[in-house]
Amino acid sequence: MKKIFIPIVVLAICLGVYTPAQAQTLDEVKKELASKMITQKAPEFSLKNLEGKTVKLSDLKGKVVVVDFWATWCGPCVQSFPGVKKTVDKYAKDKNVVFLFIATAEDPSGRTERLKRFNEKKKYGFNILIDDNDVAAQAFAVDGIPMKFIIDGKGDVRFASSGFNGSAEDTALELEAMVELTKSSK
Protein backbone atom coordinates (compact mmCIF):
# COMPACT_ATOMS: atom_id res chain seq x y z
CA MET A 1 0.00 0.00 0.00
CA LYS A 2 2.81 2.45 0.90
CA LYS A 3 4.52 1.78 -2.42
CA ILE A 4 1.45 2.94 -4.33
CA PHE A 5 0.42 5.82 -2.03
CA ILE A 6 3.62 7.89 -2.24
CA PRO A 7 3.78 8.01 -6.08
CA ILE A 8 0.07 8.94 -6.20
CA VAL A 9 0.61 11.87 -3.79
CA VAL A 10 3.68 13.01 -5.77
CA LEU A 11 1.70 12.81 -9.03
CA ALA A 12 -1.23 14.70 -7.46
CA ILE A 13 1.11 17.46 -6.30
CA CYS A 14 2.70 17.71 -9.77
CA LEU A 15 -0.72 17.92 -11.43
CA GLY A 16 -1.89 20.54 -8.93
CA VAL A 17 -4.73 18.34 -7.69
CA TYR A 18 -3.30 18.29 -4.16
CA THR A 19 -1.33 21.07 -2.49
CA PRO A 20 0.13 20.53 0.95
CA ALA A 21 -0.77 23.18 3.53
CA GLN A 22 1.46 26.18 3.11
CA ALA A 23 2.31 28.80 5.65
CA GLN A 24 0.89 32.23 5.01
CA THR A 25 3.15 35.01 3.85
CA LEU A 26 3.57 38.27 5.73
CA ASP A 27 1.56 40.10 3.07
CA GLU A 28 -1.31 37.61 3.36
CA VAL A 29 -1.42 37.99 7.14
CA LYS A 30 -1.27 41.80 6.85
CA LYS A 31 -4.15 41.76 4.38
CA GLU A 32 -6.15 39.56 6.75
CA LEU A 33 -5.42 41.77 9.77
CA ALA A 34 -5.85 45.18 8.12
CA SER A 35 -9.62 45.11 8.64
CA LYS A 36 -9.12 44.37 12.35
CA MET A 37 -7.22 47.59 13.08
CA ILE A 38 -8.78 49.81 15.69
CA THR A 39 -8.10 53.31 16.96
CA GLN A 40 -8.59 53.59 20.70
CA LYS A 41 -6.62 55.81 23.06
CA ALA A 42 -4.18 53.71 25.09
CA PRO A 43 -4.38 54.21 28.85
CA GLU A 44 -1.33 55.86 30.36
CA PHE A 45 0.77 53.75 32.69
CA SER A 46 3.90 54.22 34.72
CA LEU A 47 5.48 50.98 35.92
CA LYS A 48 8.86 49.89 37.23
CA ASN A 49 10.88 47.29 35.37
CA LEU A 50 13.02 44.59 36.99
CA GLU A 51 15.94 47.01 37.32
CA GLY A 52 13.76 49.52 39.19
CA LYS A 53 13.59 51.98 36.28
CA THR A 54 10.23 53.67 35.73
CA VAL A 55 8.74 53.17 32.26
CA LYS A 56 5.94 55.51 31.19
CA LEU A 57 3.93 54.92 28.05
CA SER A 58 3.83 58.66 27.34
CA ASP A 59 7.65 58.70 27.18
CA LEU A 60 7.45 56.36 24.17
CA LYS A 61 5.40 58.68 21.92
CA GLY A 62 6.49 58.39 18.30
CA LYS A 63 7.29 54.69 18.66
CA VAL A 64 5.27 51.55 18.03
CA VAL A 65 4.87 49.91 21.43
CA VAL A 66 3.97 46.25 21.85
CA VAL A 67 2.56 45.64 25.33
CA ASP A 68 2.27 41.99 26.36
CA PHE A 69 0.32 41.23 29.55
CA TRP A 70 1.39 37.86 30.97
CA ALA A 71 2.26 35.86 34.11
CA THR A 72 4.87 33.21 34.93
CA TRP A 73 2.15 30.73 35.94
CA CYS A 74 0.23 31.16 32.65
CA GLY A 75 0.98 28.22 30.34
CA PRO A 76 -0.22 29.88 27.12
CA CYS A 77 1.80 33.02 27.98
CA VAL A 78 4.99 31.03 28.38
CA GLN A 79 4.24 28.94 25.28
CA SER A 80 3.79 32.08 23.19
CA PHE A 81 7.20 33.49 24.12
CA PRO A 82 9.37 31.65 21.56
CA GLY A 83 7.32 33.24 18.77
CA VAL A 84 7.26 36.60 20.52
CA LYS A 85 11.04 36.39 21.02
CA LYS A 86 11.50 35.93 17.26
CA THR A 87 9.65 39.17 16.70
CA VAL A 88 11.55 40.98 19.46
CA ASP A 89 14.82 39.85 17.82
CA LYS A 90 13.62 40.96 14.38
CA TYR A 91 13.05 44.52 15.65
CA ALA A 92 16.02 44.64 18.04
CA LYS A 93 17.79 47.30 15.95
CA ASP A 94 14.64 49.28 15.13
CA LYS A 95 14.61 52.17 17.60
CA ASN A 96 11.01 52.94 16.64
CA VAL A 97 9.61 49.65 17.97
CA VAL A 98 9.53 48.87 21.70
CA PHE A 99 8.39 45.69 23.45
CA LEU A 100 7.15 45.81 27.04
CA PHE A 101 6.18 42.70 28.99
CA ILE A 102 3.83 43.56 31.82
CA ALA A 103 3.77 40.88 34.50
CA THR A 104 0.29 40.92 35.95
CA ALA A 105 -1.65 38.72 38.39
CA GLU A 106 1.64 37.61 39.95
CA ASP A 107 1.92 36.67 43.62
CA PRO A 108 3.75 39.66 45.16
CA SER A 109 5.80 37.39 47.44
CA GLY A 110 9.24 37.12 45.80
CA ARG A 111 7.82 38.41 42.54
CA THR A 112 10.79 40.46 41.33
CA GLU A 113 13.30 37.66 41.90
CA ARG A 114 10.96 35.08 40.34
CA LEU A 115 10.56 37.26 37.25
CA LYS A 116 14.32 37.86 37.01
CA ARG A 117 15.03 34.11 37.28
CA PHE A 118 12.42 33.37 34.61
CA ASN A 119 13.86 35.94 32.20
CA GLU A 120 17.45 34.79 32.78
CA LYS A 121 16.67 31.06 32.61
CA LYS A 122 14.83 31.41 29.31
CA LYS A 123 17.42 33.91 27.98
CA TYR A 124 14.66 36.16 26.67
CA GLY A 125 16.09 39.50 27.77
CA PHE A 126 12.57 40.96 27.84
CA ASN A 127 11.92 44.37 29.40
CA ILE A 128 9.58 43.11 32.12
CA LEU A 129 7.45 45.63 33.99
CA ILE A 130 5.69 44.87 37.27
CA ASP A 131 1.99 45.68 37.41
CA ASP A 132 1.46 46.23 41.15
CA ASN A 133 -2.16 45.57 42.06
CA ASP A 134 -2.90 44.95 38.35
CA VAL A 135 -3.56 48.64 37.77
CA ALA A 136 -2.35 48.64 34.15
CA ALA A 137 -4.23 45.43 33.36
CA GLN A 138 -7.42 47.00 34.68
CA ALA A 139 -6.84 50.22 32.72
CA PHE A 140 -6.43 48.19 29.51
CA ALA A 141 -9.46 46.02 30.44
CA VAL A 142 -7.39 42.85 30.18
CA ASP A 143 -9.84 39.98 30.54
CA GLY A 144 -7.41 37.11 30.00
CA ILE A 145 -3.73 36.49 29.40
CA PRO A 146 -1.69 36.46 27.31
CA MET A 147 -3.01 39.68 25.87
CA LYS A 148 -1.10 41.99 23.56
CA PHE A 149 -1.76 45.57 22.55
CA ILE A 150 0.04 47.22 19.66
CA ILE A 151 0.14 50.99 20.15
CA ASP A 152 1.04 53.50 17.46
CA GLY A 153 3.28 56.54 17.78
CA LYS A 154 0.31 58.77 18.65
CA GLY A 155 -0.60 56.63 21.65
CA ASP A 156 -3.55 54.81 20.06
CA VAL A 157 -4.13 51.08 20.39
CA ARG A 158 -4.25 49.69 16.85
CA PHE A 159 -4.51 45.98 17.71
CA ALA A 160 -5.61 43.97 20.72
CA SER A 161 -4.87 40.26 20.60
CA SER A 162 -5.59 37.68 23.27
CA GLY A 163 -4.63 34.06 23.70
CA PHE A 164 -2.07 31.85 22.01
CA ASN A 165 -2.69 30.10 18.69
CA GLY A 166 -0.37 27.16 19.45
CA SER A 167 2.36 27.97 16.93
CA ALA A 168 5.54 29.97 17.52
CA GLU A 169 5.88 30.62 13.78
CA ASP A 170 2.29 31.84 13.42
CA THR A 171 2.64 34.01 16.53
CA ALA A 172 5.81 35.62 15.16
CA LEU A 173 4.21 36.21 11.75
CA GLU A 174 1.02 37.68 13.18
CA LEU A 175 2.91 39.95 15.57
CA GLU A 176 5.22 41.14 12.80
CA ALA A 177 2.21 41.87 10.59
CA MET A 178 0.55 43.91 13.35
CA VAL A 179 3.76 45.87 13.98
CA GLU A 180 4.23 46.57 10.26
CA LEU A 181 0.61 47.66 9.80
CA THR A 182 0.90 49.91 12.85
CA LYS A 183 4.17 51.42 11.60
CA SER A 184 2.58 52.27 8.27
CA SER A 185 -0.70 53.63 9.66
CA LYS A 186 -1.16 57.37 9.81
Side-chain angles (χ1 to χ4, degrees):
M1 182 75 164
K2 275 187 180 178
K3 292 178 184 177
I4 296 171
F5 179 74
I6 293 174
I8 290 173
V9 170
V10 170
L11 179 62
I13 291 171
C14 291
L15 294 174
V17 176
Y18 170 78
T19 55
Q22 293 181 337
Q24 287 184 294
T25 66
L26 179 61
D27 286 337
E28 290 170 336
V29 175
K30 284 170 61 176
K31 185 176 180 180
E32 191 176 295
L33 289 174
S35 65
K36 297 178 182 177
M37 286 186 85
I38 59 174
T39 304
Q40 180 180 340
K41 197 70 184 154
E44 175 60 33
F45 62 81
S46 178
L47 302 170
K48 291 197 183 296
N49 67 12
L50 296 180
E51 289 74 43
K53 179 183 173 192
T54 299
V55 177
K56 292 174 60 176
L57 181 60
S58 58
D59 290 344
L60 300 171
K61 284 267 184 180
K63 300 177 186 291
V64 170
V65 181
V66 178
V67 177
D68 190 337
F69 286 90
W70 70 288
T72 56
W73 51 263
C74 169
C77 298
V78 175
Q79 290 173 331
S80 74
F81 281 166
V84 174
K85 174 70 169 144
K86 285 182 179 197
T87 312
V88 169
D89 291 347
K90 178 172 184 55
Y91 291 99
K93 293 181 181 170
D94 188 335
K95 302 296 182 204
N96 293 312
V97 179
V98 176
F99 290 82
L100 302 174
F101 295 84
I102 300 181
T104 192
E106 285 281 343
D107 179 1
S109 175
R111 174 178 48 206
T112 301
E113 288 308 311
R114 182 174 55 256
L115 291 167
K116 282 181 181 179
R117 279 193 312 272
F118 175 87
N119 207 20
E120 290 167 5
K121 179 181 176 189
K122 299 291 187 176
K123 296 181 175 44
Y124 288 136
F126 293 161
N127 188 6
I128 297 175
L129 311 180
I130 299 173
D131 191 8
D132 283 323
N133 303 313
D134 304 326
V135 174
Q138 290 172 17
F140 275 83
V142 172
D143 58 3
I145 54 175
M147 188 152 191
K148 294 168 190 52
F149 296 88
I150 292 70
I151 303 167
D152 68 17
K154 294 179 252 170
D156 291 326
V157 174
R158 300 312 305 263
F159 290 98
S161 172
S162 64
F164 172 56
N165 62 22
S167 164
E169 292 301 320
D170 290 348
T171 296
L173 188 61
E174 180 180 78
L175 197 50
E176 180 182 355
M178 289 188 285
V179 168
E180 289 300 316
L181 285 166
T182 302
K183 283 174 71 173
S184 65
S185 69
K186 300 291 178 207

